[in-house]
mmCIF file of all heavy atoms in Angstrom:
data_model
loop_
_atom_site.group_PDB
_atom_site.id
_atom_site.type_symbol
_atom_site.label_atom_id
_atom_site.label_comp_id
_atom_site.label_asym_id
_atom_site.label_seq_id
_atom_site.Cartn_x
_atom_site.Cartn_y
_atom_site.Cartn_z
ATOM 1 N N LYS Z 106 23.607 -1.032 -30.592
ATOM 2 C CA LYS Z 106 22.893 -1.369 -29.365
ATOM 3 C C LYS Z 106 23.980 -1.704 -28.362
ATOM 4 O O LYS Z 106 24.875 -2.504 -28.644
ATOM 5 C CB LYS Z 106 21.979 -2.582 -29.553
ATOM 6 C CG LYS Z 106 20.881 -2.385 -30.559
ATOM 7 C CD LYS Z 106 19.756 -1.572 -29.981
ATOM 8 C CE LYS Z 106 18.603 -1.528 -30.974
ATOM 9 N NZ LYS Z 106 18.039 -0.209 -31.075
ATOM 10 N N GLN Z 107 23.906 -1.107 -27.178
ATOM 11 C CA GLN Z 107 24.962 -1.264 -26.185
ATOM 12 C C GLN Z 107 24.355 -1.537 -24.825
ATOM 13 O O GLN Z 107 23.347 -0.932 -24.450
ATOM 14 C CB GLN Z 107 25.821 0.006 -26.154
ATOM 15 C CG GLN Z 107 26.922 0.038 -25.149
ATOM 16 C CD GLN Z 107 26.477 0.570 -23.780
ATOM 17 O OE1 GLN Z 107 25.492 1.281 -23.655
ATOM 18 N NE2 GLN Z 107 27.200 0.189 -22.757
ATOM 19 N N ILE Z 108 24.961 -2.472 -24.109
ATOM 20 C CA ILE Z 108 24.579 -2.803 -22.739
ATOM 21 C C ILE Z 108 25.804 -2.574 -21.865
ATOM 22 O O ILE Z 108 26.922 -2.951 -22.239
ATOM 23 C CB ILE Z 108 24.103 -4.272 -22.633
ATOM 24 C CG1 ILE Z 108 22.840 -4.504 -23.460
ATOM 25 C CG2 ILE Z 108 23.903 -4.687 -21.188
ATOM 26 C CD1 ILE Z 108 21.597 -3.813 -22.946
ATOM 27 N N ASP Z 109 25.601 -1.994 -20.686
ATOM 28 C CA ASP Z 109 26.730 -1.660 -19.808
ATOM 29 C C ASP Z 109 27.570 -2.874 -19.433
ATOM 30 O O ASP Z 109 28.791 -2.846 -19.537
ATOM 31 C CB ASP Z 109 26.231 -0.983 -18.525
ATOM 32 C CG ASP Z 109 25.594 0.370 -18.775
ATOM 33 O OD1 ASP Z 109 25.945 1.037 -19.774
ATOM 34 O OD2 ASP Z 109 24.739 0.769 -17.966
ATOM 35 N N PHE Z 110 26.913 -3.951 -18.982
ATOM 36 C CA PHE Z 110 27.644 -5.107 -18.472
ATOM 37 C C PHE Z 110 26.948 -6.401 -18.882
ATOM 38 O O PHE Z 110 25.724 -6.507 -18.772
ATOM 39 C CB PHE Z 110 27.743 -5.058 -16.941
ATOM 40 C CG PHE Z 110 28.280 -3.756 -16.434
ATOM 41 C CD1 PHE Z 110 27.440 -2.830 -15.850
ATOM 42 C CD2 PHE Z 110 29.625 -3.442 -16.550
ATOM 43 C CE1 PHE Z 110 27.916 -1.616 -15.393
ATOM 44 C CE2 PHE Z 110 30.114 -2.230 -16.101
ATOM 45 C CZ PHE Z 110 29.260 -1.309 -15.512
ATOM 46 N N ALA Z 111 27.745 -7.371 -19.324
ATOM 47 C CA ALA Z 111 27.196 -8.668 -19.722
ATOM 48 C C ALA Z 111 28.156 -9.772 -19.289
ATOM 49 O O ALA Z 111 29.374 -9.629 -19.389
ATOM 50 C CB ALA Z 111 27.012 -8.717 -21.235
ATOM 51 N N LEU Z 112 27.567 -10.858 -18.808
ATOM 52 C CA LEU Z 112 28.339 -12.049 -18.438
ATOM 53 C C LEU Z 112 27.388 -13.231 -18.363
ATOM 54 O O LEU Z 112 26.360 -13.159 -17.669
ATOM 55 C CB LEU Z 112 29.038 -11.852 -17.083
ATOM 56 C CG LEU Z 112 29.840 -13.042 -16.561
ATOM 57 C CD1 LEU Z 112 31.069 -13.302 -17.441
ATOM 58 C CD2 LEU Z 112 30.274 -12.797 -15.115
ATOM 59 N N ASP Z 113 27.729 -14.300 -19.058
ATOM 60 C CA ASP Z 113 26.952 -15.548 -18.991
ATOM 61 C C ASP Z 113 25.452 -15.325 -19.200
ATOM 62 O O ASP Z 113 24.629 -15.818 -18.435
ATOM 63 C CB ASP Z 113 27.186 -16.260 -17.658
ATOM 64 C CG ASP Z 113 28.623 -16.687 -17.474
ATOM 65 O OD1 ASP Z 113 29.319 -16.909 -18.492
ATOM 66 O OD2 ASP Z 113 29.062 -16.801 -16.317
ATOM 67 N N ARG Z 114 25.109 -14.547 -20.223
ATOM 68 C CA ARG Z 114 23.714 -14.310 -20.629
ATOM 69 C C ARG Z 114 22.914 -13.501 -19.606
ATOM 70 O O ARG Z 114 21.691 -13.470 -19.629
ATOM 71 C CB ARG Z 114 23.020 -15.618 -20.985
ATOM 72 C CG ARG Z 114 23.718 -16.325 -22.166
ATOM 73 C CD ARG Z 114 23.080 -17.637 -22.546
ATOM 74 N NE ARG Z 114 21.687 -17.499 -22.932
ATOM 75 C CZ ARG Z 114 21.248 -17.161 -24.154
ATOM 76 N NH1 ARG Z 114 22.105 -16.912 -25.110
ATOM 77 N NH2 ARG Z 114 19.948 -17.102 -24.402
ATOM 78 N N VAL Z 115 23.628 -12.843 -18.683
ATOM 79 C CA VAL Z 115 23.029 -11.893 -17.750
ATOM 80 C C VAL Z 115 23.448 -10.500 -18.205
ATOM 81 O O VAL Z 115 24.650 -10.234 -18.350
ATOM 82 C CB VAL Z 115 23.488 -12.137 -16.297
ATOM 83 C CG1 VAL Z 115 22.961 -11.043 -15.373
ATOM 84 C CG2 VAL Z 115 23.066 -13.518 -15.832
ATOM 85 N N LEU Z 116 22.477 -9.624 -18.431
ATOM 86 C CA LEU Z 116 22.754 -8.257 -18.879
ATOM 87 C C LEU Z 116 22.389 -7.280 -17.774
ATOM 88 O O LEU Z 116 21.343 -7.415 -17.142
ATOM 89 C CB LEU Z 116 21.941 -7.927 -20.130
ATOM 90 C CG LEU Z 116 22.089 -8.882 -21.311
ATOM 91 C CD1 LEU Z 116 21.280 -8.374 -22.488
ATOM 92 C CD2 LEU Z 116 23.538 -9.066 -21.695
ATOM 93 N N VAL Z 117 23.259 -6.293 -17.573
ATOM 94 C CA VAL Z 117 23.056 -5.316 -16.503
ATOM 95 C C VAL Z 117 23.200 -3.908 -17.078
ATOM 96 O O VAL Z 117 24.192 -3.602 -17.748
ATOM 97 C CB VAL Z 117 24.081 -5.504 -15.357
ATOM 98 C CG1 VAL Z 117 23.853 -4.462 -14.264
ATOM 99 C CG2 VAL Z 117 24.037 -6.919 -14.812
ATOM 100 N N GLU Z 118 22.222 -3.070 -16.781
ATOM 101 C CA GLU Z 118 22.284 -1.656 -17.116
ATOM 102 C C GLU Z 118 22.239 -0.848 -15.826
ATOM 103 O O GLU Z 118 21.454 -1.161 -14.919
ATOM 104 C CB GLU Z 118 21.102 -1.243 -17.999
ATOM 105 C CG GLU Z 118 21.223 -1.690 -19.429
ATOM 106 C CD GLU Z 118 22.078 -0.751 -20.256
ATOM 107 O OE1 GLU Z 118 23.261 -0.538 -19.901
ATOM 108 O OE2 GLU Z 118 21.574 -0.230 -21.249
ATOM 109 N N VAL Z 119 23.080 0.166 -15.736
ATOM 110 C CA VAL Z 119 23.094 1.092 -14.611
ATOM 111 C C VAL Z 119 22.636 2.435 -15.159
ATOM 112 O O VAL Z 119 23.238 2.961 -16.094
ATOM 113 C CB VAL Z 119 24.506 1.205 -13.987
ATOM 114 C CG1 VAL Z 119 24.514 2.228 -12.864
ATOM 115 C CG2 VAL Z 119 24.989 -0.159 -13.507
ATOM 116 N N GLN Z 120 21.564 2.972 -14.584
ATOM 117 C CA GLN Z 120 20.980 4.177 -15.157
ATOM 118 C C GLN Z 120 20.687 5.223 -14.085
ATOM 119 O O GLN Z 120 19.790 5.056 -13.268
ATOM 120 C CB GLN Z 120 19.688 3.830 -15.898
ATOM 121 C CG GLN Z 120 19.132 4.951 -16.722
ATOM 122 C CD GLN Z 120 20.130 5.465 -17.723
ATOM 123 O OE1 GLN Z 120 20.727 6.519 -17.507
ATOM 124 N NE2 GLN Z 120 20.351 4.731 -18.802
ATOM 125 N N PHE Z 121 21.465 6.309 -14.115
ATOM 126 C CA PHE Z 121 21.267 7.426 -13.193
ATOM 127 C C PHE Z 121 20.929 8.697 -13.962
ATOM 128 O O PHE Z 121 21.307 9.789 -13.572
ATOM 129 C CB PHE Z 121 22.511 7.636 -12.324
ATOM 130 C CG PHE Z 121 22.751 6.510 -11.370
ATOM 131 C CD1 PHE Z 121 23.835 5.674 -11.537
ATOM 132 C CD2 PHE Z 121 21.886 6.283 -10.313
ATOM 133 C CE1 PHE Z 121 24.052 4.625 -10.658
ATOM 134 C CE2 PHE Z 121 22.091 5.230 -9.433
ATOM 135 C CZ PHE Z 121 23.185 4.404 -9.606
ATOM 136 N N GLU Z 122 20.225 8.533 -15.056
ATOM 137 C CA GLU Z 122 19.865 9.677 -15.892
ATOM 138 C C GLU Z 122 18.346 9.882 -15.843
ATOM 139 O O GLU Z 122 17.684 9.427 -14.929
ATOM 140 C CB GLU Z 122 20.338 9.434 -17.327
ATOM 141 C CG GLU Z 122 21.847 9.241 -17.462
ATOM 142 C CD GLU Z 122 22.659 10.482 -17.144
ATOM 143 O OE1 GLU Z 122 22.151 11.608 -17.340
ATOM 144 O OE2 GLU Z 122 23.804 10.328 -16.703
ATOM 145 N N LYS Z 123 17.831 10.502 -16.863
ATOM 146 C CA LYS Z 123 16.400 10.797 -16.935
ATOM 147 C C LYS Z 123 15.587 9.512 -17.114
ATOM 148 O O LYS Z 123 16.098 8.491 -17.548
ATOM 149 C CB LYS Z 123 16.138 11.768 -18.080
ATOM 150 C CG LYS Z 123 16.825 13.114 -17.840
ATOM 151 C CD LYS Z 123 16.248 14.178 -18.714
ATOM 152 C CE LYS Z 123 16.934 15.501 -18.478
ATOM 153 N NZ LYS Z 123 16.619 16.129 -17.231
ATOM 154 N N TYR Z 124 14.298 9.611 -16.810
ATOM 155 C CA TYR Z 124 13.422 8.451 -16.843
ATOM 156 C C TYR Z 124 13.390 7.766 -18.207
ATOM 157 O O TYR Z 124 13.404 6.540 -18.299
ATOM 158 C CB TYR Z 124 11.999 8.832 -16.420
ATOM 159 C CG TYR Z 124 11.059 7.671 -16.533
ATOM 160 C CD1 TYR Z 124 11.068 6.657 -15.583
ATOM 161 C CD2 TYR Z 124 10.206 7.548 -17.619
ATOM 162 C CE1 TYR Z 124 10.234 5.556 -15.700
ATOM 163 C CE2 TYR Z 124 9.370 6.453 -17.739
ATOM 164 C CZ TYR Z 124 9.396 5.465 -16.784
ATOM 165 O OH TYR Z 124 8.586 4.377 -16.908
ATOM 166 N N PHE Z 125 13.341 8.562 -19.289
ATOM 167 C CA PHE Z 125 13.241 7.944 -20.615
ATOM 168 C C PHE Z 125 14.391 6.978 -20.862
ATOM 169 O O PHE Z 125 14.219 5.969 -21.548
ATOM 170 C CB PHE Z 125 13.185 9.006 -21.731
ATOM 171 C CG PHE Z 125 14.523 9.601 -22.065
ATOM 172 C CD1 PHE Z 125 15.349 8.990 -22.994
ATOM 173 C CD2 PHE Z 125 14.968 10.754 -21.435
ATOM 174 C CE1 PHE Z 125 16.602 9.526 -23.294
ATOM 175 C CE2 PHE Z 125 16.204 11.295 -21.729
ATOM 176 C CZ PHE Z 125 17.027 10.678 -22.663
ATOM 177 N N ALA Z 126 15.571 7.263 -20.303
ATOM 178 C CA ALA Z 126 16.731 6.389 -20.495
ATOM 179 C C ALA Z 126 16.526 5.045 -19.790
ATOM 180 O O ALA Z 126 16.979 4.005 -20.277
ATOM 181 C CB ALA Z 126 18.002 7.074 -20.010
ATOM 182 N N MET Z 127 15.827 5.052 -18.659
ATOM 183 C CA MET Z 127 15.519 3.795 -17.972
ATOM 184 C C MET Z 127 14.643 2.918 -18.858
ATOM 185 O O MET Z 127 14.878 1.716 -19.001
ATOM 186 C CB MET Z 127 14.783 4.062 -16.654
ATOM 187 C CG MET Z 127 15.593 4.715 -15.599
ATOM 188 S SD MET Z 127 14.548 4.985 -14.151
ATOM 189 C CE MET Z 127 15.706 5.845 -13.109
ATOM 190 N N PHE Z 128 13.619 3.526 -19.453
ATOM 191 C CA PHE Z 128 12.702 2.744 -20.278
ATOM 192 C C PHE Z 128 13.395 2.296 -21.564
ATOM 193 O O PHE Z 128 13.148 1.185 -22.058
ATOM 194 C CB PHE Z 128 11.425 3.526 -20.570
ATOM 195 C CG PHE Z 128 10.219 2.662 -20.539
ATOM 196 C CD1 PHE Z 128 9.623 2.308 -19.340
ATOM 197 C CD2 PHE Z 128 9.695 2.149 -21.704
ATOM 198 C CE1 PHE Z 128 8.523 1.467 -19.300
ATOM 199 C CE2 PHE Z 128 8.584 1.314 -21.683
ATOM 200 C CZ PHE Z 128 7.999 0.970 -20.483
ATOM 201 N N TYR Z 129 14.286 3.130 -22.112
ATOM 202 C CA TYR Z 129 15.043 2.715 -23.298
ATOM 203 C C TYR Z 129 15.959 1.541 -22.950
ATOM 204 O O TYR Z 129 16.121 0.622 -23.756
ATOM 205 C CB TYR Z 129 15.841 3.879 -23.881
ATOM 206 C CG TYR Z 129 16.604 3.487 -25.119
ATOM 207 C CD1 TYR Z 129 15.930 3.019 -26.251
ATOM 208 C CD2 TYR Z 129 17.985 3.548 -25.157
ATOM 209 C CE1 TYR Z 129 16.621 2.627 -27.386
ATOM 210 C CE2 TYR Z 129 18.684 3.163 -26.291
ATOM 211 C CZ TYR Z 129 17.999 2.709 -27.400
ATOM 212 O OH TYR Z 129 18.691 2.321 -28.521
ATOM 213 N N ASP Z 130 16.534 1.554 -21.748
ATOM 214 C CA ASP Z 130 17.329 0.400 -21.309
ATOM 215 C C ASP Z 130 16.508 -0.876 -21.357
ATOM 216 O O ASP Z 130 16.990 -1.936 -21.776
ATOM 217 C CB ASP Z 130 17.843 0.585 -19.877
ATOM 218 C CG ASP Z 130 19.023 1.531 -19.777
ATOM 219 O OD1 ASP Z 130 19.571 1.943 -20.817
ATOM 220 O OD2 ASP Z 130 19.391 1.854 -18.629
ATOM 221 N N MET Z 131 15.260 -0.792 -20.933
ATOM 222 C CA MET Z 131 14.389 -1.960 -20.952
ATOM 223 C C MET Z 131 14.202 -2.458 -22.390
ATOM 224 O O MET Z 131 14.209 -3.664 -22.647
ATOM 225 C CB MET Z 131 13.037 -1.646 -20.320
ATOM 226 C CG MET Z 131 13.106 -1.197 -18.870
ATOM 227 S SD MET Z 131 13.917 -2.373 -17.790
ATOM 228 C CE MET Z 131 12.778 -3.725 -17.888
ATOM 229 N N ALA Z 132 14.071 -1.538 -23.332
ATOM 230 C CA ALA Z 132 13.933 -1.924 -24.743
ATOM 231 C C ALA Z 132 15.209 -2.589 -25.246
ATOM 232 O O ALA Z 132 15.152 -3.574 -25.989
ATOM 233 C CB ALA Z 132 13.583 -0.699 -25.589
ATOM 234 N N LYS Z 133 16.379 -2.084 -24.825
ATOM 235 C CA LYS Z 133 17.637 -2.711 -25.248
ATOM 236 C C LYS Z 133 17.781 -4.103 -24.648
ATOM 237 O O LYS Z 133 18.198 -5.043 -25.341
ATOM 238 C CB LYS Z 133 18.838 -1.846 -24.843
ATOM 239 C CG LYS Z 133 18.933 -0.545 -25.608
ATOM 240 C CD LYS Z 133 20.225 0.183 -25.326
ATOM 241 C CE LYS Z 133 20.399 0.541 -23.887
ATOM 242 N NZ LYS Z 133 21.664 1.232 -23.583
ATOM 243 N N LEU Z 134 17.419 -4.258 -23.387
ATOM 244 C CA LEU Z 134 17.467 -5.581 -22.768
ATOM 245 C C LEU Z 134 16.555 -6.541 -23.519
ATOM 246 O O LEU Z 134 16.931 -7.683 -23.796
ATOM 247 C CB LEU Z 134 17.076 -5.498 -21.294
ATOM 248 C CG LEU Z 134 18.035 -4.749 -20.371
ATOM 249 C CD1 LEU Z 134 17.393 -4.515 -19.012
ATOM 250 C CD2 LEU Z 134 19.359 -5.481 -20.238
ATOM 251 N N GLU Z 135 15.372 -6.090 -23.864
ATOM 252 C CA GLU Z 135 14.421 -6.899 -24.634
ATOM 253 C C GLU Z 135 15.020 -7.275 -25.993
ATOM 254 O O GLU Z 135 14.888 -8.412 -26.451
ATOM 255 C CB GLU Z 135 13.111 -6.131 -24.821
ATOM 256 C CG GLU Z 135 12.051 -6.864 -25.588
ATOM 257 C CD GLU Z 135 11.222 -7.818 -24.745
ATOM 258 O OE1 GLU Z 135 11.202 -7.671 -23.512
ATOM 259 O OE2 GLU Z 135 10.596 -8.710 -25.326
ATOM 260 N N TYR Z 136 15.672 -6.329 -26.647
ATOM 261 C CA TYR Z 136 16.300 -6.584 -27.951
ATOM 262 C C TYR Z 136 17.288 -7.752 -27.848
ATOM 263 O O TYR Z 136 17.233 -8.689 -28.649
ATOM 264 C CB TYR Z 136 17.008 -5.321 -28.451
ATOM 265 C CG TYR Z 136 17.825 -5.551 -29.688
ATOM 266 C CD1 TYR Z 136 17.232 -5.479 -30.947
ATOM 267 C CD2 TYR Z 136 19.178 -5.848 -29.611
ATOM 268 C CE1 TYR Z 136 17.981 -5.698 -32.093
ATOM 269 C CE2 TYR Z 136 19.926 -6.071 -30.753
ATOM 270 C CZ TYR Z 136 19.326 -6.005 -31.993
ATOM 271 O OH TYR Z 136 20.071 -6.230 -33.126
ATOM 272 N N PHE Z 137 18.183 -7.687 -26.887
ATOM 273 C CA PHE Z 137 19.193 -8.738 -26.767
ATOM 274 C C PHE Z 137 18.569 -10.075 -26.355
ATOM 275 O O PHE Z 137 19.036 -11.131 -26.775
ATOM 276 C CB PHE Z 137 20.309 -8.325 -25.808
ATOM 277 C CG PHE Z 137 21.273 -7.360 -26.432
ATOM 278 C CD1 PHE Z 137 21.235 -6.018 -26.113
ATOM 279 C CD2 PHE Z 137 22.210 -7.794 -27.348
ATOM 280 C CE1 PHE Z 137 22.124 -5.125 -26.694
ATOM 281 C CE2 PHE Z 137 23.106 -6.915 -27.944
ATOM 282 C CZ PHE Z 137 23.047 -5.566 -27.616
ATOM 283 N N TYR Z 138 17.512 -10.039 -25.570
ATOM 284 C CA TYR Z 138 16.804 -11.269 -25.233
ATOM 285 C C TYR Z 138 16.218 -11.885 -26.500
ATOM 286 O O TYR Z 138 16.362 -13.085 -26.755
ATOM 287 C CB TYR Z 138 15.702 -10.980 -24.214
ATOM 288 C CG TYR Z 138 14.778 -12.141 -23.993
ATOM 289 C CD1 TYR Z 138 15.186 -13.247 -23.254
ATOM 290 C CD2 TYR Z 138 13.506 -12.152 -24.547
ATOM 291 C CE1 TYR Z 138 14.335 -14.330 -23.059
ATOM 292 C CE2 TYR Z 138 12.651 -13.228 -24.351
ATOM 293 C CZ TYR Z 138 13.071 -14.311 -23.613
ATOM 294 O OH TYR Z 138 12.236 -15.385 -23.433
ATOM 295 N N ARG Z 139 15.579 -11.075 -27.306
ATOM 296 C CA ARG Z 139 14.955 -11.589 -28.534
ATOM 297 C C ARG Z 139 15.987 -12.019 -29.572
ATOM 298 O O ARG Z 139 15.671 -12.813 -30.458
ATOM 299 C CB ARG Z 139 13.993 -10.563 -29.112
ATOM 300 C CG ARG Z 139 12.759 -10.416 -28.236
ATOM 301 C CD ARG Z 139 11.789 -9.429 -28.806
ATOM 302 N NE ARG Z 139 10.650 -9.293 -27.918
ATOM 303 C CZ ARG Z 139 9.409 -9.391 -28.322
ATOM 304 N NH1 ARG Z 139 9.130 -9.639 -29.586
ATOM 305 N NH2 ARG Z 139 8.429 -9.233 -27.470
ATOM 306 N N GLN Z 140 17.209 -11.513 -29.453
ATOM 307 C CA GLN Z 140 18.294 -11.963 -30.322
ATOM 308 C C GLN Z 140 18.978 -13.211 -29.756
ATOM 309 O O GLN Z 140 20.012 -13.639 -30.241
ATOM 310 C CB GLN Z 140 19.327 -10.841 -30.512
ATOM 311 C CG GLN Z 140 18.788 -9.625 -31.235
ATOM 312 C CD GLN Z 140 18.359 -9.937 -32.649
ATOM 313 O OE1 GLN Z 140 19.078 -10.561 -33.400
ATOM 314 N NE2 GLN Z 140 17.152 -9.520 -33.000
ATOM 315 N N ASN Z 141 18.437 -13.756 -28.690
ATOM 316 C CA ASN Z 141 18.941 -14.958 -28.012
ATOM 317 C C ASN Z 141 20.356 -14.762 -27.458
ATOM 318 O O ASN Z 141 21.187 -15.664 -27.495
ATOM 319 C CB ASN Z 141 18.882 -16.187 -28.926
ATOM 320 C CG ASN Z 141 18.989 -17.474 -28.132
ATOM 321 O OD1 ASN Z 141 18.600 -17.540 -26.968
ATOM 322 N ND2 ASN Z 141 19.532 -18.505 -28.759
ATOM 323 N N GLU Z 142 20.614 -13.562 -26.937
ATOM 324 C CA GLU Z 142 21.901 -13.274 -26.315
ATOM 325 C C GLU Z 142 21.775 -13.060 -24.814
ATOM 326 O O GLU Z 142 22.757 -12.714 -24.160
ATOM 327 C CB GLU Z 142 22.550 -12.047 -26.958
ATOM 328 C CG GLU Z 142 22.953 -12.269 -28.398
ATOM 329 C CD GLU Z 142 23.836 -11.177 -28.925
ATOM 330 O OE1 GLU Z 142 24.904 -10.928 -28.321
ATOM 331 O OE2 GLU Z 142 23.468 -10.559 -29.940
ATOM 332 N N ALA Z 143 20.580 -13.245 -24.261
ATOM 333 C CA ALA Z 143 20.369 -13.011 -22.833
ATOM 334 C C ALA Z 143 19.250 -13.890 -22.316
ATOM 335 O O ALA Z 143 18.332 -14.234 -23.053
ATOM 336 C CB ALA Z 143 20.023 -11.546 -22.590
ATOM 337 N N ASP Z 144 19.358 -14.228 -21.041
ATOM 338 C CA ASP Z 144 18.295 -14.958 -20.351
ATOM 339 C C ASP Z 144 17.628 -14.108 -19.279
ATOM 340 O O ASP Z 144 16.492 -14.370 -18.898
ATOM 341 C CB ASP Z 144 18.856 -16.221 -19.682
ATOM 342 C CG ASP Z 144 19.313 -17.242 -20.701
ATOM 343 O OD1 ASP Z 144 18.684 -17.357 -21.773
ATOM 344 O OD2 ASP Z 144 20.323 -17.928 -20.440
ATOM 345 N N VAL Z 145 18.326 -13.105 -18.782
ATOM 346 C CA VAL Z 145 17.800 -12.254 -17.721
ATOM 347 C C VAL Z 145 18.452 -10.870 -17.820
ATOM 348 O O VAL Z 145 19.592 -10.745 -18.263
ATOM 349 C CB VAL Z 145 18.044 -12.884 -16.324
ATOM 350 C CG1 VAL Z 145 19.508 -12.951 -15.989
ATOM 351 C CG2 VAL Z 145 17.265 -12.158 -15.240
ATOM 352 N N GLY Z 146 17.688 -9.855 -17.417
ATOM 353 C CA GLY Z 146 18.205 -8.491 -17.391
ATOM 354 C C GLY Z 146 18.129 -7.916 -15.993
ATOM 355 O O GLY Z 146 17.267 -8.316 -15.195
ATOM 356 N N VAL Z 147 19.023 -6.995 -15.710
ATOM 357 C CA VAL Z 147 19.048 -6.292 -14.428
ATOM 358 C C VAL Z 147 19.170 -4.802 -14.734
ATOM 359 O O VAL Z 147 20.027 -4.394 -15.521
ATOM 360 C CB VAL Z 147 20.238 -6.750 -13.552
ATOM 361 C CG1 VAL Z 147 20.278 -5.957 -12.244
ATOM 362 C CG2 VAL Z 147 20.190 -8.243 -13.297
ATOM 363 N N GLU Z 148 18.307 -4.016 -14.116
ATOM 364 C CA GLU Z 148 18.344 -2.561 -14.256
ATOM 365 C C GLU Z 148 18.597 -1.968 -12.874
ATOM 366 O O GLU Z 148 17.798 -2.188 -11.945
ATOM 367 C CB GLU Z 148 17.025 -2.051 -14.848
ATOM 368 C CG GLU Z 148 16.962 -0.562 -15.051
ATOM 369 C CD GLU Z 148 17.652 -0.078 -16.317
ATOM 370 O OE1 GLU Z 148 18.244 -0.884 -17.050
ATOM 371 O OE2 GLU Z 148 17.591 1.130 -16.570
ATOM 372 N N ILE Z 149 19.687 -1.240 -12.721
ATOM 373 C CA ILE Z 149 20.048 -0.608 -11.448
ATOM 374 C C ILE Z 149 19.732 0.876 -11.570
ATOM 375 O O ILE Z 149 20.281 1.558 -12.447
ATOM 376 C CB ILE Z 149 21.535 -0.845 -11.124
ATOM 377 C CG1 ILE Z 149 21.809 -2.346 -11.017
ATOM 378 C CG2 ILE Z 149 21.925 -0.113 -9.836
ATOM 379 C CD1 ILE Z 149 23.279 -2.707 -10.848
#
Side-chain angles (χ1 to χ4, degrees):
K106 298 282 186 223
Q107 178 272 338
I108 296 292
D109 294 333
F110 308 105
L112 178 68
D113 297 333
R114 299 179 59 84
V115 174
L116 305 183
V117 179
E118 284 277 58
V119 177
Q120 190 56 257
F121 293 111
E122 300 293 331
K123 297 197 180 288
Y124 176 76
F125 78 87
M127 292 178 183
F128 219 80
Y129 181 61
D130 283 352
M131 300 303 295
K133 291 188 300 179
L134 293 169
E135 181 84 19
Y136 172 86
F137 283 104
Y138 170 74
R139 290 181 182 231
Q140 296 297 312
N141 197 28
E142 293 192 57
D144 292 325
V145 66
V147 178
E148 181 81 357
I149 300 174

